[in-house]
């Protein structure tokens, strides 16, 4: 029998983890300075958190991992996205009552969608997302985009482009929806099954169709901007002015409708135009949503804005631009055990170094001196600490600075002060007087 990860999932191995840590550290740092706090919601929710009304999105209709345990009437779904759970939590914990609205949140974690796996498209993938709920201001649309944009810029990504559009308010969207229905009325029978469903549920989504994309009837479809009322036009204008003010380059894409049904006003996708990216080029995407808070039983009129970034895709975009995220730190110290009789002392010294903040490891296999020294090289240790019978008998330790090749033999209790002197105080050890 073979055991393998399920299709579309992957192990993130220790050798690759440093890039994830780097991304996660940067995410926390950026959200900290933007004053967004982390929220962690469950990895599964009641199915109706995601499946709402007659949602027409592929994600809800085809991609959800929904299950019901034996003897249970409860239908649960592994979360396919972050926004719904965050909006549910916002209502459940009455965050709408906060003295300082909006509530600005971010999340990082896995999402599950049953899709056809390909490069940049997984069945379990990770998203970093932000949600700002409880205020409607074009400045917030701009702020969230700016957060994501400055994050990808700080990583060094250059081949990025913001595509942005507006879906207008309810009134504008209703007028546009009617115009689209009229437009596709005679051709809908010739279009794909998904489009037929979208025609009934949410005709805007027809514009997002990957199957019928090239048909003439698509190209001649009416444009959203012709159906926007003044308030919606003004809102969008202020968003674009805000992006201009921050020097964030964008392209208005009047075909951009986005996959989820709850969007109103601003929608956007930030894509990599690098040729190595392949078909999955959207790194982060989102928009403004009204009605979601109300749907979960919160007060009316609490608007939100957010986006989600696929971290696997972000890594692919970095690789495409030759940006390396790995930064394997070497060890500070490797303790060589030179005799079977000194295991206890080796353990004590290793522990003491660690307690003082030195990243330390040792040999557990009773290997030869030569083999242990090879590990010192392989682990890029700054120093080797040699402990054998004579060191223990004399109460000393032997420190070898790998770079300078200098050796220091010092009394056991002088180990940490000496390390601090040679390598600079890195841990919580006492500061030493100058030599
Ligand atoms: P797509 O059109 O690529 O299917 P989507 O509209 O379904 O994307 P969102 O739900 O908006 O995507 O998710 C936001 C981001 O999460 C995407 O831009 C992408 O970076 C990432 N993402 C979405 N689905 C996947 C997946 N199956 N595998 C890896 N990353 C994904
Ligand atoms: Mg999708």
């Amino acid at each position: 029998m073979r055991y393998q990860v399920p299709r579309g999932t992957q192990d993130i191995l220790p050798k690759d983890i440093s890039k994830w840590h780097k991304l996660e550290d940067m995410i926390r740092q950026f959200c900290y300075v933007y004053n967004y706090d982390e929220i962690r919601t469950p990895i599964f929710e009641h199915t109706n958190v995601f499946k709402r009304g007659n949602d027409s999105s592929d994600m809800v209709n085809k991609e959800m991992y929904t299950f019901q345990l034996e003897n249970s009437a409860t239908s649960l779904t592994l979360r396919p996205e972050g926004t719904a759970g965050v909006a549910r939590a916002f209502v459940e914990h009455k965050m709408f009552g906060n003295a300082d609205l909006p509530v600005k949140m971010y999340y990082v974690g896995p999402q599950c969608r049953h899709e056809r796996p390909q490069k940049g498209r997984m069945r379990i993938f990770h998203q970093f997302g932000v949600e700002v709920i409880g205020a409607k201001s074009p400045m917030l649309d701009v702020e969230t985009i700016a957060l994501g944009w400055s994050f990808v810029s700080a990583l060094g990504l250059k081949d990025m482009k913001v595509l942005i559009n507006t879906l207008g308010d309810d009134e504008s969207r209703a007028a546009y929806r009617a115009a689209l229905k009229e437009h596709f009325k005679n051709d809908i029978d010739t279009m794909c099954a998904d489009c037929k469903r979208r025609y009934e549920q949410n005709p805007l989504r027809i514009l997002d169709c990957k199957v019928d994309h090239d048909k003439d009837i698509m190209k001649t479809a009416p444009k959203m901007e012709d159906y926007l009322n003044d308030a919606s036009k003004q809102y969008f204008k202020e968003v674009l002015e805000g992006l201009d003010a921050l020097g964030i380059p964008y392209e208005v894409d009047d075909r951009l409708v986005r996959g989820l049904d709850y969007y109103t006003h601003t929608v956007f996708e930030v894509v990599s135009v690098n040729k190595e990216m392949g078909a999955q080029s959207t790194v982060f995407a989102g928009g403004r949503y009204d009605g979601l808070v109300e749907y979960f039983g919160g007060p009316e009129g609490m608007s939100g804005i957010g986006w989600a970034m696929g971290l696997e895709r972000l890594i692919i975009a970095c690789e495409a631009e030759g940006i390396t995220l790995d930064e394997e730190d070497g060890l500070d110290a490797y303790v060589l055990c030179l005799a079977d009789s000194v295991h206890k002392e080796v353990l004590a010294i290793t522990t003491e170094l660690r307690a003082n903040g030195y990243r330390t490891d040792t040999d557990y296999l009773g290997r030869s001196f030569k083999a242990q020294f090879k590990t010192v090289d392989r682990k890029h240790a700054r120093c080797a600490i040699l402990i054998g019978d004579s060191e223990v008998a004399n109460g000393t330790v032997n420190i070898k600075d790998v770079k300078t090749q200098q050796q220091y033999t010092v009394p056991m209790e002088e180990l940490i002060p000496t390390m601090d002197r040679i390598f600079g105080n890195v841990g919580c050890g006492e500061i030493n007087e100058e030599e």
Side-chain angles (χ1 to χ4, degrees):
M1 195 193 311
R2 288 184 313 163
Y3 293 101
Q4 291 181 330
V5 292
R7 205 161 104 81
T9 71
Q10 66 175 352
D11 298 310
I12 300 172
L13 300 176
K15 71 179 177 56
D16 297 318
I17 205 71
S18 68
K19 53 183 145 191
W20 288 85
H21 285 171
K22 177 171 177 172
L23 290 178
E24 287 158 8
D25 288 350
M26 277 182 68
I27 287 168
R28 295 203 149 75
Q29 190 192 329
F30 268 80
C31 289
Y32 180 78
V33 297
Y34 273 82
N35 195 29
Y36 287 51
D37 287 318
E38 186 178 0
I39 179 164
R40 299 187 187 188
T41 61
I43 196 100
F44 56 76
E45 298 258 4
H46 289 122
T47 298
N48 63 7
V49 169
F50 305 113
K51 205 178 178 72
R52 299 177 302 271
N54 66 343
D55 194 309
S56 72
S57 68
D58 284 352
M59 192 191 77
V60 167
N61 284 283
K62 301 197 274 195
E63 298 173 359
M64 297 209 305
Y65 285 95
T66 296
F67 59 96
Q68 208 162 338
L69 296 182
E70 230 177 296
N71 303 323
S72 164
T74 311
S75 174
L76 298 168
T77 294
L78 298 183
R79 70 174 183 211
E81 55 118 355
T83 308
V86 172
R88 187 228 7 98
F90 180 87
V91 175
E92 186 165 343
H93 302 283
K94 300 192 172 56
M95 289 189 236
F96 47 78
N98 276 20
D100 289 303
L101 289 175
V103 179
K104 303 198 215 177
M105 294 167 274
Y106 75 96
Y107 58 85
V108 186
Q111 311 289 359
C112 307
R113 297 186 195 176
H114 189 258
E115 312 205 54
R116 198 166 64 78
Q118 45 199 296
K119 184 180 172 192
R121 192 174 291 289
M122 313 276 303
R123 289 181 173 170
I124 298 182
F125 58 99
H126 295 79
Q127 280 184 338
F128 157 35
V130 303
E131 308 292 346
V132 177
I133 310 183
K136 189 171 195 164
S137 158
M139 281 201 306
L140 286 170
D141 303 39
V142 174
E143 176 180 292
T144 52
I145 296 172
L147 196 171
W149 183 260
S150 57
F151 174 68
V152 295
S153 303
L155 279 168
L157 287 168
K158 296 201 167 59
D159 302 340
M160 303 295 288
K161 196 161 83 173
V162 179
L163 304 175
I164 190 162
N165 192 22
T166 180
L167 303 178
D169 59 10
D170 287 349
E171 184 187 79
S172 308
R173 234 175 16 268
Y176 185 46
R177 197 175 292 137
L180 284 173
K181 282 200 112 160
E182 184 59 29
H183 177 77
F184 287 111
K185 189 173 66 182
N186 297 325
D187 293 80
I188 192 66
D189 290 343
T190 69
M191 298 175 76
C192 77
D194 285 329
C195 279
K196 289 187 184 108
R197 176 167 49 78
R198 291 168 187 144
Y199 185 81
E200 297 306 329
Q201 292 179 339
N202 185 358
L204 262 71
R205 292 272 329 218
I206 294 177
L207 300 177
D208 208 17
C209 182
K210 310 226 158 61
V211 181
D212 292 318
H213 194 260
D214 289 329
K215 290 198 169 150
D216 284 342
I217 190 78
M218 285 291 204
K219 294 177 187 151
T220 56
K223 293 198 155 118
M224 180 77 230
E225 70 175 302
D226 296 325
Y227 296 85
L228 292 175
N229 59 20
D230 287 345
S232 300
K233 277 187 192 148
Q234 180 61 24
Y235 193 93
F236 193 44
K237 185 165 164 271
E238 286 175 34
V239 172
L240 299 185
E241 284 169 357
L243 293 173
D244 288 334
L246 297 184
I248 298 173
Y250 59 84
E251 225 171 79
V252 175
D253 177 352
D254 58 22
R255 282 297 149 93
L256 190 71
V257 290
R258 301 285 310 126
L260 305 174
D261 273 0
Y262 46 62
Y263 288 122
T264 55
H265 287 289
T266 318
V267 287
F268 55 89
E269 283 191 12
V270 179
V271 301
S272 168
V273 295
N274 191 288
K275 285 189 203 69
E276 310 285 307
M277 264 316 264
Q280 271 55 252
S281 59
T282 305
V283 174
F284 69 100
R288 179 163 286 285
Y289 47 88
D290 288 339
L292 208 49
V293 168
E294 203 184 331
Y295 179 88
F296 289 118
E300 228 178 288
M302 284 257 159
S303 187
I305 172 102
W307 49 251
M309 181 182 294
L311 293 182
E312 285 80 358
R313 277 199 209 166
L314 180 69
I315 290 172
I316 293 172
C318 286
E319 282 163 0
E321 292 197 35
I323 297 165
T324 38
L325 299 168
D326 310 73
E327 305 179 327
E328 242 286 52
D329 286 340
L331 288 179
D332 293 317
Y334 190 79
V335 184
L336 282 80
C337 180
L338 304 182
D340 285 343
S341 48
V342 300
H343 280 314
K344 275 204 293 290
E345 286 78 5
V346 165
L347 185 63
I349 286 166
T350 304
T351 306
E352 191 182 354
L353 283 160
R354 290 168 174 167
N356 284 275
Y358 288 99
R359 189 176 197 214
T360 308
D361 219 331
T362 186
D363 178 77
Y364 305 96
L365 298 171
R367 294 175 308 159
S368 71
F369 178 76
K370 206 170 141 201
Q372 293 188 54
F373 240 106
K374 281 196 176 146
T375 303
V376 172
D377 281 342
R378 272 199 300 272
K379 299 281 177 194
H380 306 293
R382 296 165 80 188
C383 73
I385 294 183
L386 290 73
I387 313 288
D389 284 327
S390 62
E391 280 78 13
V392 171
N394 298 333
T396 58
V397 285
N398 208 329
I399 308 169
K400 182 169 179 184
D401 184 333
V402 171
K403 201 156 137 205
T404 64
Q405 292 288 305
Q406 211 164 337
Q407 295 229 31
Y408 307 80
T409 303
V410 298
M412 202 75 90
E413 58 279 9
E414 283 295 307
L415 169 65
I416 299 300
T418 310
M419 288 289 289
D420 290 350
R421 213 160 26 239
I422 311 173
F423 299 109
N425 187 285
V426 298
C428 40
E430 286 171 18
I431 310 283
N432 286 277
E433 71 286 0
E434 289 295 311
E435 265 175 311

